[in-house]
Amino acid sequence: MLFFGNGCDIPPFVSMEGGEPVGFTVDLVDEIAKRMSLHGQVVPTPLKNTVTELNAGEFDIALLLVRPEGEREVDYSVPFMEVTPAVFVVEGSPVKGEVDLSGKVVGALAGSKQLEMLEDMEALGRVVPYAANDLGFEALVNGEIDAFVAQKQISMATSERTGKTVMVSEIEVEVPEQLAFGVKKGNTELLNRVNETLEEIKKDGTLGELQNKWFESQD
């Protein structure tokens, strides 16, 4: 068994349908497990507890953003996807992209690269951190902020769920953030097996097929 820890309300990566987890990462973990002659199983985990529970042995791998500071706590697999910052607004907003954020109140996820990026933009009126994407989109719908900047691939489904917000543009960055699997620090045997399998999945086109299946509507 290959146990995979992840929050289960992050479509299209993982969400629940009919009591079962579905999504891009579920399919990817299933494919990795199959090629390792194992069976994949999702362990629902609050995002804030992911690294702690991974290192406690509650599961084998977890979906994580690759961050230099994270290398002290976990070992990352080879990255398999880039995530893109994007601007979200309420429908009909005059904000059409990054250039329109001057003087505006803009939100982002606390501790995220998007928040750091906004704090470096001197022309903004005010930057507001939120503990979760859902809270940022709620503030956007309620008119508390003019725009919310978040990772496109992770936030599109949340935006669509509000029924009132839309993505108006991506933001170009020099170094995009990347997604990878994290394994317990020092678990070199598992890390090597996951990396070898991921490289096979990339090379034979399976990864691209899964990305097209789950993210095609975001292009």
Side-chain angles (χ1 to χ4, degrees), residues 72-181:
R72 297 191 296 266
E73 301 179 280
V74 302
D75 288 330
Y76 292 115
S77 74
V78 292
F80 55 82
M81 178 182 285
E82 291 184 348
V83 289
T84 313
V87 180
F88 293 86
V89 299
V90 292
E91 291 183 341
S93 168
V95 175
K96 303 302 180 186
E98 181 182 355
V99 295
D100 300 318
L101 295 179
S102 179
K104 299 294 192 294
V105 180
V106 185
L109 189 65
S112 68
K113 295 295 183 182
Q114 292 75 47
L115 184 67
E116 293 177 11
M117 176 179 62
L118 292 175
E119 289 174 338
D120 288 337
M121 295 182 182
E122 297 180 358
L124 297 185
R126 185 160 54 95
V127 178
V128 184
Y130 291 93
N133 270 3
D134 285 349
L135 296 177
F137 279 101
E138 181 180 338
L140 185 58
V141 170
N142 292 337
E144 298 168 21
I145 54 178
D146 300 302
F148 187 66
V149 174
Q151 295 150 337
K152 169 187 171 182
Q153 291 81 355
I154 294 173
S155 302
M156 280 290 289
T158 303
S159 175
E160 291 170 359
R161 196 161 53 202
T162 70
K164 298 179 180 179
T165 63
V166 293
M167 186 195 83
V168 288
S169 73
E170 298 180 8
I171 298 178
E172 290 188 14
V173 292
E174 290 185 10
V175 183
E177 289 188 279
Q178 295 181 311
L179 287 170
F181 289 114

